[in-house]
Amino acid sequence: MAAPKKFASHADLEEKQITFTQLSEHTYAYTAEGDPNTGVVVGDDAVLVADTQATPAMAQDVVRRIREVTDKPIRYVVLTHYHAVRVLGASGFNSQEIISSQDTYDLIVERGEQDKASEIGRFPRLFRNAESIPRGVTWPTMTFNKKMTLWLGKVEVQLLQLGRGHTKGDTVVWLPQDRVLLGGDLVEFNATPYAGDAYFKDWPQTLGNLAALKPAALVPGRGAALVGEEQVAAGLEATGGFIADVRASVEAGVAAGKDLQTVYKETFATLKPKYGHWVIFDHCMPFDVTRCYDEVTRHPDPRIWTAERDIEMWEALEG
């Protein structure tokens, strides 16, 4: 019996160049050439971190960069959504609070353990020093619905749920006085959105709600920080375009009575010329098309990905 075909991500072994860029008086972007980003807010009396890296050991590099610019305590860690690659490094910051939307908390209850095993299996390079992760999953210590305002001294930080997209619990971090948005995986830049837990129908409108804030800078989930209204608009437009293109192709295939494998192959071929150069395109497309096919046919809410389901799907579409 042939061994299952390995995920495309297993061939991605190259270390990425990390940058730590100041975007405004109070905000910094920790980026790594398409690997998951972290946003940092330095207030008058404390620091807030949005998205944690995948392991506490990896979080230590973020802490080191923060300590190069401030000695203020890291009081808050914000989880923009529940995915393991974004949350399992939380303990490395020794923060006073770990904050998420209630929807994100509910997803951790429902599928956090399965997602942890699934993601580590899919993309092992992103979980360096996995042994540093505490047993179990990362639990928020504080939750909110729709909006929460924090004050770091006189620096206002808004945590906002502006709609479903990447997941049902997506949170963005907005600094109104700096006009800087930490967007989580609702926005990517030159990186393929992972949409295995997405709401394709809702996502474009949610991006419109982000645009309505009129950010002057934006930290996407992956890719370089976007500086200036023109770059921000381009990032929002590109992410929305990808989501719309996947959905249009899948809807056309379903309307023609085609099965998932056929729809996947046709959608991959259709989108490859436009988006194939984006980071993790080959890896994300099977998950994205499967979820979109589910949404268009019979599953309005995402099904739980397990390590076993990942392999079965990948083998069915790519084997």
Side-chain angles (χ1 to χ4, degrees):
M1 181 177 175
K5 183 178 179 180
K6 290 184 177 181
F7 297 115
S9 57
H10 287 191
D12 183 356
L13 303 175
E14 184 180 344
E15 291 299 315
K16 308 299 183 182
Q17 182 68 39
I18 292 169
T19 60
F20 190 62
T21 306
Q22 186 168 9
L23 303 179
S24 72
E25 181 180 357
H26 304 105
T27 59
Y28 295 81
Y30 179 98
T31 63
E33 297 184 308
D35 275 1
N37 294 337
T38 294
V40 176
V41 180
V42 178
D44 298 327
D45 58 359
V47 175
L48 176 149
V49 171
D51 291 328
T52 73
Q53 300 294 301
T55 69
M58 295 172 69
Q60 289 308 299
D61 189 58
V62 183
V63 173
R64 180 177 68 80
R65 310 281 176 142
I66 292 171
R67 290 293 165 246
E68 290 175 355
V69 299
T70 183
D71 60 359
K72 295 167 186 173
I74 300 172
R75 185 173 299 163
Y76 301 110
V77 163
V78 176
L79 312 180
T80 65
H81 58 287
Y82 82 99
H83 287 151
V85 75
R86 302 297 186 175
V87 310
L88 293 181
S91 64
F93 293 95
N94 295 313
S95 62
Q96 181 178 319
E97 301 286 356
I98 300 173
I99 306 173
S100 80
S101 67
Q102 183 61 45
D103 287 327
T104 288
Y105 186 95
D106 293 344
L107 286 168
I108 295 171
V109 171
E110 179 188 47
R111 56 183 69 190
E113 289 283 2
Q114 297 97 318
D115 179 72
K116 178 181 178 180
S118 167
E119 289 197 54
I120 291 174
R122 278 187 238 156
F123 223 137
R125 184 181 61 78
L126 294 182
F127 290 86
R128 290 193 299 276
N129 303 110
E131 67 279 0
S132 66
I133 302 170
R135 295 188 63 176
V137 295
T138 298
W139 291 103
T141 60
M142 183 184 297
T143 63
F144 71 96
N145 283 299
K146 303 306 179 187
K147 181 177 181 180
M148 179 177 184
T149 300
L150 303 170
W151 292 91
L152 307 183
K154 294 182 179 180
V155 179
E156 181 182 4
V157 182
Q158 297 178 5
L159 311 184
L160 305 173
Q161 279 186 279
L162 297 176
R164 303 185 301 188
H166 180 65
T167 73
K168 78 169 184 179
D170 293 326
T171 294
V172 298
V173 179
W174 171 238
L175 276 75
Q177 66 195 72
D178 290 32
R179 293 179 57 213
V180 175
L181 185 68
L182 314 182
D185 278 330
L186 277 170
V187 185
E188 313 288 17
F189 185 63
N190 288 335
T192 309
Y194 170 77
D197 297 301
Y199 290 83
F200 278 82
K201 186 176 180 180
D202 294 3
W203 200 332
Q205 179 58 56
T206 301
L207 292 172
N209 296 339
L210 267 61
L213 295 172
K214 300 188 183 305
L218 189 153
V219 181
R222 292 174 181 264
L226 305 171
V227 180
E229 293 182 2
E230 188 174 325
Q231 273 199 7
V232 170
L236 292 169
E237 183 180 351
T239 301
F242 174 85
I243 295 302
D245 286 349
V246 172
R247 189 163 185 254
S249 179
V250 171
E251 285 181 334
V254 170
K258 297 173 181 176
D259 63 12
L260 172 59
Q261 186 179 51
T262 302
V263 169
Y264 167 66
K265 291 185 181 302
E266 292 181 353
T267 301
F268 187 99
T270 298
L271 270 64
K272 179 79 170 178
K274 186 174 181 180
Y275 302 107
H277 64 288
W278 282 7
V279 173
I280 62 174
F281 177 83
D282 288 2
H283 179 76
C284 287
M285 282 298 289
F287 296 94
D288 294 2
V289 174
T290 297
R291 167 57 197 145
C292 192
Y293 189 92
D294 271 5
E295 182 178 288
V296 170
T297 55
R298 63 194 182 282
H299 295 288
D301 294 300
R303 291 186 287 154
I304 296 174
W305 290 100
T306 65
E308 294 76 20
R309 183 184 170 215
D310 290 350
I311 293 170
E312 290 170 1
M313 178 279 298
W314 188 267
E315 182 65 15
L317 298 187
E318 286 283 350

